[in-house]
Amino acid sequence: MVNQENPMMKYTELEHIGSGGFGHVVRALNNATGGEVAIKKINLQGLGRKELTVNEIVIMKRYRSSSVVNYLDSYLLGEELWLVMEYMDGGALSDVIHKTCLSEDHIAAISRECLQGLDFLHSNDVIHRDVKSDNILLRTDGSVKLTDFGLSTQLTPEQSRPCLVAGTPWWMAPEVVTGQPYGPKVDIWSFGIVGIEMLEKEPPYWDQSHTSARRLIATVGTPKLRQPKLLSALLRDFLSCCLQTDEEQRWSAKELLQVKCEGAAGETGSEGWAPPPLKFKASDEPPSSSPPLLVLFK
Ligand code: 3AM
C-alpha cells in the first residue's frame, strides 16, 4: 500500500506547519517538480492509530476531487507513516475563523465549496464523520477542501446504517450521540455546526465537557444561535435546514446546493443565498490593529 522508496530523496522539508495527537505536518518541496506538498507524519504507536491511518489512506486514494485534499503518496519509516498530500497554503478554516470576521457572503462561499465536497463523498457512499473547521483547509486562490478521513466510513449494502459513535463530540449529530443507526446526513449536522463556528467562533457547548456536550446535543436538539436577529433570514434558514434534529427533515448536501446556494452549479438565479466566487489573497498591507493572516475579498 505504501511507496517503498526513500521519501527524503524525493522531498526537501521546508517548515513545520503544525501538530496534533497523530504526529505533525510539514511543508515540503517535491525536488523533481518544484511543487509544494504537505507531509503528515503519523506516529503509528497510538491506540487504534494504524486502523485510522489505513482508513485515511484507502479513502483518500480512492476518492479524488477538487473539493477534497488530494492524496499524493505514502511511505513507512519505522513507526512513522508519511502521508504526502497537496499543500493548502491558506491553512485551516478554524484559524481563519479566529483571525478574521467572516461576512455572510464569505460564509456562503465557503459553505458552497464544503457542500460540494460532502455531496461528492455522499454520492460515493462515504460519510466523513469528522466535519469541523479544523478539517476544512483553504488555499489562497480561494479553493476550500475537506481533509482528515481517518474517521470516515465507506457504506456497503451490508453496513448502510452504522451506529458506531465516531467524531468530535461538539460537532456530533443527535443520532450519533444517542447511538442510533445513522447515514450521511450526520455530516450535514456537523457542517451546520461549522456554520455556527463561522458566526460565533466556536461550536455550541464549547465550554462544556465531552460528556455534557453530548448530553446537551441529545436533549436540546437544534442549538440556539447567540444573536439570530443579526443574521439574514436566508442564513438562518440555511442553518436550520442543516440543523434539523430529525434526520428525515434535515437537508442533504445535494438539496442544499441545488436550492440554497445560488450559482452552485454555475447557474445564476434570483432566489437563494448568493455566494460570490471565493478568493483569498495574502495580505500585503501593513498590519493595522490585529491583522488577519488572510485578507478576504469578493
Ligand atoms: O496547527 P494548525 O491548525 O496551524 O491545518 C493543519 C494544522 O495546522 C495543517 O497541519 C496542522 C496539523 O494538522 N495541515 C494539515 N494538512 C495540511 C495540508 N494538506 C495542512 N496544511 C496545509 N496543507
Side-chain angles (χ1 to χ4, degrees):
M1 195 165 98
V2 294
N3 192 327
Q4 301 299 321
E5 291 163 26
N6 180 357
M8 296 186 206
M9 305 298 289
K10 190 164 174 190
Y11 301 102
T12 305
E13 285 186 30
L14 298 175
E15 64 168 339
H16 176 267
I17 306 177
S19 20
F22 59 86
H24 58 282
V25 179
V26 298
R27 179 168 69 93
L29 208 62
N30 178 327
N31 298 330
T33 65
E36 286 181 316
V37 297
I39 306 180
K40 187 171 174 179
K41 297 184 175 181
I42 305 166
N43 180 355
L44 293 175
Q45 277 171 333
L47 190 68
R49 184 60 65 195
K50 288 190 183 65
E51 291 75 11
L52 292 184
T53 306
V54 169
N55 196 42
E56 180 159 23
I57 294 178
V58 167
I59 299 277
M60 276 185 112
K61 263 185 154 172
R62 195 177 293 160
Y63 299 110
R64 294 169 172 282
S65 147
S66 57
S67 49
V68 303
V69 173
N70 283 312
Y71 167 94
L72 299 171
D73 224 333
S74 52
Y75 301 86
L76 188 61
L77 285 94
E79 278 292 321
E80 210 171 57
L81 192 128
W82 288 21
L83 174 54
V84 184
M85 57 190 151
E86 62 180 313
Y87 174 62
M88 300 293 289
D89 63 351
L93 176 60
S94 47
D95 292 333
V96 173
I97 285 172
H98 287 108
K99 287 173 181 150
T100 63
C101 199
L102 294 169
S103 69
E104 285 202 15
D105 280 350
H106 296 131
I107 294 174
I110 292 169
S111 299
R112 180 185 54 195
E113 305 289 313
C114 293
L115 286 170
Q116 279 166 350
L118 290 178
D119 183 36
F120 167 74
L121 294 177
H122 297 173
S123 308
N124 286 293
D125 295 321
V126 173
I127 315 182
H128 185 288
R129 296 204 292 199
D130 203 16
V131 174
K132 55 181 178 178
S133 61
D134 298 294
N135 290 339
I136 296 169
L137 300 182
L138 310 167
R139 242 183 4 212
T140 49
D141 69 359
S143 35
V144 178
K145 303 186 184 212
L146 302 173
T147 193
D148 206 334
F149 297 90
L151 292 183
S152 57
T153 185
Q154 173 77 65
L155 303 176
T156 60
E158 299 75 42
Q159 177 63 291
S160 62
R161 301 273 301 163
C163 51
L164 178 75
V165 179
T168 309
W170 296 267
W171 285 263
M172 283 179 185
E175 62 271 29
V176 176
V177 295
T178 51
Q180 309 294 311
Y182 55 80
K185 285 186 185 170
V186 296
D187 286 341
I188 302 299
W189 175 282
S190 307
F191 182 69
I193 301 298
V194 173
I196 296 185
E197 286 188 270
M198 288 194 271
L199 293 166
E200 302 180 353
K201 302 203 181 282
E202 58 191 32
Y205 324 129
W206 189 234
D207 57 346
Q208 304 285 320
S209 65
H210 289 199
T211 325
S212 308
R214 284 163 60 162
R215 187 174 38 76
L216 287 163
I217 293 165
T219 51
V220 173
T222 303
K224 307 271 175 300
L225 293 165
R226 282 186 201 150
Q227 295 184 297
K229 292 207 176 88
L230 296 185
L231 310 182
S232 70
L234 287 171
L235 177 50
R236 281 201 306 266
D237 172 54
F238 179 81
L239 290 175
S240 136
C241 293
C242 298
L243 293 167
Q244 289 294 316
T245 311
D246 178 359
E247 187 193 349
E248 290 282 313
Q249 301 294 317
R250 199 178 308 147
W251 290 42
S252 67
K254 203 176 287 310
E255 288 164 342
L256 287 163
L257 281 167
Q258 280 169 358
V259 181
K260 299 290 173 193
C261 294
E262 182 190 340
E267 78 279 11
T268 48
S270 56
E271 298 292 317
W273 191 31
L278 176 68
K279 291 278 181 217
F280 293 94
K281 184 164 84 74
S283 173
D284 46 13
E285 294 289 310
S288 49
S289 48
S290 85
L293 175 70
L294 300 164
V295 174
L296 296 137
F297 67 96
K298 290 190 214 172

